[in-house]
Amino acid sequence: MRASRLLSILTTLQAKGQVTAQALADECEVSVRTIYRDVDALSASGVPIYSVQGSAGGYRLLDGYRVRLNGVSSSEAQALFLAGLTQQAADLGMGSAAASARSKVLAALPEEMRSGAARSRFHFDAPAWFAEPETLAQLPTVAAAVWSERALRFRYASRTGLGEREADPLGIVLKGGAWYLVAGVKSETKTFRIARMSNVHLLEKAFDYPKSFDLAGHWAESIRLYEVDLHPNKATTRLSPAGFAMLDDLLPPYIRSGAVISPENDRNGWRQVTISVGLLDHAAAEMLRFGTHAEVLEPPELRAKMTEIIASLAKMYRSSAKPEG
């Protein structure tokens, strides 16, 4: 731990020039007194580190002294900066480790690029629009189980109720601002939304990570099957030019890629499109998002459901309208 902290202090000073003891303590998550001892140890070992006195003071390295990161080129260091999910690393309980890694990568960049990189020219915003990111107290424990290949016991609030689970954690996925645990449960691979997990306990029991398991591949296939299961039916619609333009914004890629679109518009510019839809209520809710720019033609059950909902809405708005006067 101390060797890693000493290297972190060196790379931070190299990357930033002059840094206060308090800033070093915050980054390393130790006390200022510990930083004083670490600086004394570095100086005693021959590292040319010195202090600058005054209100704008701090520690500096002698000009020209550099710590090399063997094997890391400038372009590789730039690529690593693009992969640095700062807030997500903090959520996983790895904030200080991520800060130390950034300092080491920053030290590998050319002098003229360091100030720009330190200001973060790229920002990664994981949550979808109008959605709040999830920051979960249990997430670091889940991450520790994934790294150590140890089983987890937790309570899980599924759609059918609250129950105790024990699982072998295979990986963590961040999707649209929500965190998911992919885990082995007996002979199956299941997905748990971490926000629904509580009373999470890291067990002493270890498990053998399946050598053939590929997290990215498994997740991609799970998403595909989930979309197929959610949209088992077909609906034929008429879309106005504006409705046709709304397809990209309102429908997921799976539905858009499988849509059957008529090659010609009618005399009003409307076009017939057949798409995959969910069960009756879900399909009606999806089509209502198009407003007056879509008309359901088939199946008759969905058309009748749309008529029923629209009539109910019209009745509600008529009855709640305030009289003029």
Side-chain angles (χ1 to χ4, degrees):
M1 288 291 292
R2 191 186 190 202
S4 175
R5 191 171 65 245
L6 293 176
L7 182 57
S8 179
I9 292 171
L10 279 173
T11 53
T12 298
L13 291 173
Q14 180 175 302
K16 298 181 179 180
Q18 185 170 304
V19 186
T20 66
Q22 185 61 61
L24 290 171
D26 293 342
E27 186 158 311
C28 296
E29 296 185 345
V30 295
S31 67
V32 173
R33 186 176 295 276
T34 298
I35 294 298
Y36 292 155
R37 290 197 296 265
D38 287 344
V39 169
D40 288 342
L42 287 169
S43 181
S45 66
V47 175
I49 184 172
Y50 64 94
S51 63
V52 178
Q53 303 300 315
S55 58
Y59 289 111
R60 295 185 64 89
L61 291 172
L62 188 67
D63 290 345
Y65 182 83
R66 290 181 57 79
V67 180
R68 298 289 182 182
L69 282 176
N70 294 332
V72 180
S73 68
S74 296
S75 59
E76 289 169 341
Q78 294 170 48
L80 287 172
F81 260 97
L82 291 179
L85 309 184
T86 305
Q87 183 56 52
Q88 288 69 37
D91 291 344
L92 289 164
M94 303 173 65
S96 60
S100 175
R102 284 194 302 275
S103 294
K104 293 174 184 177
V105 172
L106 193 61
L109 290 173
E111 186 72 35
E112 64 273 13
M113 293 186 61
R114 265 182 235 149
S115 60
R119 289 194 300 267
S120 298
R121 298 183 182 183
F122 300 91
H123 176 65
F124 181 79
D125 188 10
W129 287 103
F130 315 116
E132 290 290 332
E134 292 183 345
T135 302
L136 309 168
Q138 64 270 34
L139 187 55
T141 303
V142 177
V146 171
W147 284 116
S148 62
E149 298 182 5
R150 288 164 58 186
L152 278 175
R153 182 180 293 120
F154 53 91
R155 301 188 76 188
Y156 192 69
S158 68
R159 292 183 176 87
T160 58
L162 187 64
E164 291 283 338
R165 306 292 181 92
E166 185 174 315
D168 297 335
L170 302 175
I172 294 174
V173 175
L174 177 62
K175 171 75 170 177
W179 293 93
Y180 296 88
L181 169 68
V182 178
V185 180
K186 298 181 180 178
S187 59
E188 297 182 83
T189 302
K190 294 184 176 293
T191 300
F192 302 95
R193 185 160 179 169
I194 296 177
R196 297 177 183 163
M197 297 168 60
S198 60
N199 295 341
V200 180
H201 297 287
L202 181 60
L203 304 181
E204 292 297 327
K205 182 173 65 175
F207 67 95
D208 294 325
Y209 196 93
K211 295 180 180 179
S212 60
F213 182 74
D214 173 35
L215 179 61
H218 170 82
W219 185 259
E221 180 64 9
S222 296
I223 293 297
R224 187 188 70 82
L225 293 175
Y226 180 65
E227 290 179 335
V228 170
D229 289 343
L230 277 183
H231 304 90
N233 302 315
K234 296 288 184 181
T236 301
T237 67
R238 286 178 67 243
L239 297 178
S240 71
F244 191 78
M246 293 162 68
L247 284 173
D248 285 347
D249 293 328
L250 298 184
L251 298 181
Y254 161 73
I255 297 178
R256 297 200 307 268
S257 64
V260 178
I261 303 170
S262 65
E264 299 180 359
N265 301 345
D266 64 19
R267 61 186 179 184
N268 296 317
W270 288 55
R271 182 176 293 187
Q272 185 170 300
V273 180
T274 300
I275 58 174
S276 297
V277 295
L279 299 178
L280 195 60
D281 288 341
H282 182 270
E286 286 286 296
M287 296 311 304
L288 283 170
R289 298 172 71 194
F290 287 86
T292 59
H293 296 291
E295 178 190 2
V296 174
L297 302 177
E298 294 178 348
E301 297 85 1
L302 179 56
R303 186 176 175 88
K305 186 67 175 179
M306 296 289 292
T307 303
E308 175 191 334
I309 295 173
I310 293 168
S312 298
L313 286 171
K315 181 180 179 181
M316 179 178 67
Y317 279 99
R318 279 196 300 267
S319 64
S320 61
K322 294 181 178 179
E324 295 184 3

